[in-house]
């Protein structure tokens, strides 16, 4: 099990390492634009992503004519999140220097003051209670677009995200989403406790 997890992490890290040095060049921008263009499409309808994805997946992680594997889906969605976050970016990714616990921690900066927190909490809760992987993917992309639009240089651990998305499809969804929720809400925990103590 651990070997599978490391492999999904490593594949995502390797793909990012290929794109990072060229992302401000024409070829890199074209790759990222192609990935962004795949958003909302099934992998079967996203030929622009195939060379990048399939060239980096070991044979046992490749699907067949009847199915797309959990590895393919997890890395495909993580690549889309990465490409969204790179739009207009010129600085290298800081993921290796400043890893986050999970995407919940990355998104919690959106809570800002308490007025913003309510709207963001509703969006986050809708995402983590989604009825399917596809629905979750839709809401996750929406949240990341809001993150990109509102926060300068937000930190996202894409290999960790790929890993989480892989295990969600392997029966660990509830555990992972609860961990996202813990990381997302943790920032306000102390303030809430202080308020409750004051009200007593």
């Amino acid at each position: 099990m651990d070997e599978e997890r490391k492999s999904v992490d490593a594949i995502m890290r390797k793909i990012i390492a290929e794109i990072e040095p060229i992302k401000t060049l024409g070829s890199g921008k074209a790759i990222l634009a192609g990935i962004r263009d795949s958003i909302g499409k099934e992998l079967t309808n996203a030929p622009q992503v195939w060379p990048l994805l399939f060239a980096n997946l070991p044979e046992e992680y490749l699907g067949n004519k009847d199915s797309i594997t959990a590895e393919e889906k997890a890395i495909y969605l993580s690549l889309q999140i990465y490409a969204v976050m790179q739009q207009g970016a010129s600085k290298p990714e800081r993921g290796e220097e400043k890893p986050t616990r999970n995407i919940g921690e990355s998104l919690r900066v959106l809570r800002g003051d308490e007025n913003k927190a309510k709207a963001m909490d509703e969006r986050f809760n809708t995402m983590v209670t989604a009825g399917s992987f596809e629905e979750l993917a839709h809401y996750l992309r929406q949240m990341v677009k809001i993150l990109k639009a509102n926060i300068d240089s937000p930190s996202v651990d894409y290999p960790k995200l790929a890993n989480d998305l892989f295990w969600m499809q392997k029966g660990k969804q509830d555990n992972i989403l609860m961990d996202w929720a813990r990381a997302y809400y943790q920032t306000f925990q102390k303030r809430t406790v202080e308020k409750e103590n004051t009200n007593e």
Side-chain angles (χ1 to χ4, degrees):
M1 195 162 104
D2 286 343
E3 283 308 308
E4 283 182 290
R5 183 163 65 239
K6 285 174 189 167
S7 296
V8 171
D9 284 5
I11 292 162
M12 190 65 196
R13 200 169 282 113
K14 182 172 182 284
I15 294 172
I16 291 174
E18 286 179 19
I19 300 173
E20 278 296 316
I22 60 167
K23 74 178 183 183
T24 58
L25 306 177
S27 57
K29 286 179 179 176
I31 288 168
L32 290 167
I35 298 169
R36 284 191 294 270
D37 188 52
S38 75
I39 289 173
K41 297 176 183 174
E42 293 289 336
L43 183 55
T44 49
N45 296 318
Q48 63 274 49
V49 180
W50 297 345
L52 193 63
L53 181 60
F54 298 150
N56 284 291
L57 281 173
E59 191 173 345
E60 63 269 26
Y61 289 176
L62 294 171
N64 55 45
K65 62 183 174 62
D66 299 315
S67 66
I68 294 168
T69 65
E71 291 87 355
E72 288 173 329
K73 281 186 182 179
I75 295 170
Y76 179 45
L77 177 54
S78 299
L79 277 173
Q80 291 176 336
I81 301 300
Y82 169 73
V84 166
M85 296 299 285
Q86 300 314 304
Q87 194 159 17
S90 56
K91 291 186 284 188
E93 265 305 317
R94 301 173 302 148
E96 291 299 320
E97 298 166 28
K98 193 181 175 186
T100 54
R101 174 174 163 184
N102 56 41
I103 194 70
E105 183 181 332
S106 301
L107 293 172
R108 76 184 183 194
V109 296
L110 287 173
R111 302 191 80 204
D113 59 47
E114 289 180 31
N115 295 328
K116 287 181 183 174
K118 189 169 185 290
M120 287 301 109
D121 290 355
E122 285 174 6
R123 286 178 177 272
F124 180 83
N125 293 343
T126 299
M127 178 182 77
V128 295
T129 56
S132 67
F133 184 82
E134 288 68 30
E135 198 181 333
L136 179 136
H138 170 73
Y139 291 121
L140 176 58
R141 286 189 293 256
Q142 282 189 342
M143 290 288 285
V144 167
K145 284 178 183 175
I146 295 169
L147 181 66
K148 169 69 177 170
N150 288 280
I151 307 295
D152 289 331
S153 303
S155 184
V156 177
D157 188 332
Y158 305 101
K160 169 66 176 160
L161 176 60
N163 179 46
D164 282 352
L165 294 171
F166 169 73
W167 287 111
M168 271 183 199
Q169 299 170 78
K170 296 290 186 177
K172 303 283 187 189
Q173 178 163 332
D174 290 348
N175 297 357
I176 288 165
L177 292 176
M178 279 299 294
D179 202 40
W180 287 11
R182 289 183 188 108
Y184 176 78
Y185 284 108
Q186 199 172 357
T187 185
F188 276 14
Q189 188 177 5
K190 190 177 175 192
R191 185 185 302 177
T192 306
V193 170
E194 285 171 355
K195 274 191 169 181
E196 284 172 359
N197 290 342
T198 307
N199 293 336
E200 284 175 4

